[in-house]
Amino acid sequence: MNKIYKVGVIGLGAIGERLIQSFVQHPSTEVVAVCDQLNERVVSVAEKLGGIQSYTNHQQMLGEVELDLVYIAVPPKYHHAIAADVINKGIHLLCEKPLANSVEEAFDMKNKAETAGIVHAMNFPLNYGSAANTFAKLIEEKYVGKLRRLELTMHFPQWPRFWQQNDWVASREQGGFVLEVGVHFIQQAQRIFGSIAYKNGQLELPENPTKSEIGVYANLELEDGTPFIINGLSDIAGDERIAFTAYGTEGTLSLVNWGMLEGGKVGESIAKIEPIEVDSSSLIDNLVRALNGEKAKLYDFNAGYDAQVILEKLRGNE
């Protein structure tokens, strides 16, 4: 029989609860404990999961419950301290993005996790989606020919979006669309094209010093010298649109709004492209493989750190 791994979840916001369902549905993982600062929320979630153990203090949970894996889904400024406690217990670790709240914290987390010899992974869901994987495959197959420019456009009618109205997502300290959305595509660019160099950029900030950016424009450079442009705005007219676009000598290819592909050859109109199932394995599938000591497709804290280096430069922190 396959081993069933016991999972503890710290942080029960919208993202945390979403991934809980993936753990519940997987035959090799069982959520046995949850933790959140809000007692009402943690009790409610625990009851929905069959009356499992619930905590408002993560250290108490780590001390009382036998766990194979902990999933950290709290706001970014708490990642470093909580991860240190998990790593000290020798427990395998899955962390939400961004990895930490600074380059220094991210560097420390990856070093501690590597030294401890635990499985450490980031929740970068695009890596397990058919659209993003089809984008990567088409780039590899030279669908666009020689790459001339990579662009990331992020347009939001409002930020935070209506479904994520909370203080930290709106804060300059640990929120904003550069961190919350940009991190996914920075990681995709590093995954597909290699290292990235930050050249220069401009951050547009609101008058309220506690609020996150309302605009970003930055020039970056891929490993081979190809320009990578980031253009982001919030509080504008129109619909939300996130587009990760490769312009090449033979065509154009875009990953749009997370799960759609658009493209065309030079001289053609842009049209929808149907994704293909490059690899149907999920994040949880690959976590289980890694816990079993098998080869797995995971993006670890090194990937999280590499993305954090660019993120903090975009945010004007480096």
Side-chain angles (χ1 to χ4, degrees):
M1 291 180 62
N2 292 333
K3 178 176 179 178
I4 297 178
Y5 293 100
K6 297 178 180 179
V7 179
V9 178
I10 303 173
L12 301 177
I15 302 300
E17 287 203 58
R18 189 181 304 167
L19 203 57
I20 281 176
Q21 297 309 310
S22 297
F23 282 118
V24 168
Q25 293 165 11
H26 200 281
S28 295
T29 56
E30 177 186 9
V31 178
V32 297
V34 289
C35 178
D36 194 278
Q37 287 186 328
L38 297 178
N39 185 65
E40 182 179 345
R41 178 180 296 168
V42 79
V43 168
S44 173
V45 172
E47 287 178 353
K48 290 178 184 176
L49 295 174
I52 65 172
Q53 292 174 277
S54 63
Y55 296 87
T56 55
N57 183 303
H58 76 274
Q59 292 173 326
Q60 184 180 2
M61 184 184 82
L62 295 176
E64 294 182 1
V65 185
E66 181 181 342
L67 297 167
D68 299 300
L69 174 74
V70 166
Y71 168 42
I72 296 178
V74 297
K77 76 174 184 179
Y78 302 110
H79 288 187
H80 180 258
I82 294 175
D85 291 336
V86 175
I87 293 168
N88 285 339
K89 290 285 186 180
I91 301 171
H92 304 297
L93 185 54
L94 172 66
C95 188
E96 265 305 324
K97 50 71 198 161
L99 180 56
N101 209 40
S102 70
V103 170
E104 293 77 16
E105 287 182 351
F107 185 77
D108 188 60
M109 286 172 66
K110 83 176 185 70
N111 281 352
K112 281 186 167 68
E114 288 175 342
T115 300
I118 61 170
V119 172
H120 49 99
M122 299 288 299
N123 182 24
F124 283 129
L126 278 177
N127 296 299
Y128 305 96
S130 57
N133 281 324
T134 302
F135 180 96
K137 182 176 177 60
L138 289 174
I139 291 294
E140 182 182 3
E141 293 175 350
K142 303 297 183 182
Y143 176 89
V144 302
K146 178 177 171 54
L147 186 66
R148 295 174 56 197
R149 180 182 296 175
L150 185 67
E151 287 188 1
L152 171 61
T153 301
M154 299 178 287
H155 287 170
F156 302 96
Q158 68 176 61
W159 185 273
R161 292 165 288 189
F162 74 92
W163 55 269
Q164 56 180 175
Q165 294 293 314
N166 60 59
D167 290 340
W168 73 266
V169 172
S171 75
R172 193 171 302 182
E173 178 188 23
Q174 56 177 335
F177 60 81
V178 171
L179 273 183
E180 281 296 296
V181 176
V183 62
H184 292 278
F185 297 94
I186 293 295
Q187 190 268 328
Q188 286 300 297
Q190 291 169 326
R191 167 198 174 196
I192 298 168
F193 301 103
S195 64
I196 298 171
Y198 176 87
K199 308 303 286 185
N200 56 69
Q202 181 178 353
L203 202 64
E204 184 183 359
L205 299 169
E207 291 184 7
N208 187 331
T210 69
K211 298 298 184 182
S212 64
E213 76 281 348
I214 57 175
V216 64
Y217 187 86
N219 294 293
L220 296 86
E221 194 173 84
L222 302 183
E223 203 169 62
D224 64 358
T226 301
F228 177 17
I229 308 299
I230 295 180
N231 172 19
L233 288 167
S234 67
D235 303 305
I236 57 174
D239 297 325
E240 178 174 319
R241 179 176 170 86
I242 303 165
F244 186 56
T245 303
Y247 297 95
T249 56
E250 296 179 22
T252 298
L253 182 67
S254 295
L255 175 62
V256 180
N257 293 342
W258 308 101
M260 295 187 295
L261 280 177
E262 297 175 349
K265 295 294 186 176
V266 172
E268 299 177 348
S269 298
I270 297 296
K272 183 178 180 181
I273 297 174
E274 289 298 328
I276 58 174
E277 200 61 74
V278 178
D279 180 356
S280 61
S281 63
S282 68
L283 169 61
I284 311 302
D285 290 333
N286 283 281
L287 275 171
V288 169
R289 290 172 187 168
L291 294 173
N292 287 337
E294 302 167 4
K295 184 178 180 180
K297 185 176 78 171
L298 291 178
Y299 298 87
D300 63 14
F301 285 9
N302 288 287
Y305 169 75
D306 289 342
Q308 191 98 39
V309 169
I310 300 299
L311 285 169
E312 297 306 329
K313 289 179 178 178
L314 291 170
R315 298 175 71 211
N317 293 335
E318 288 292 320

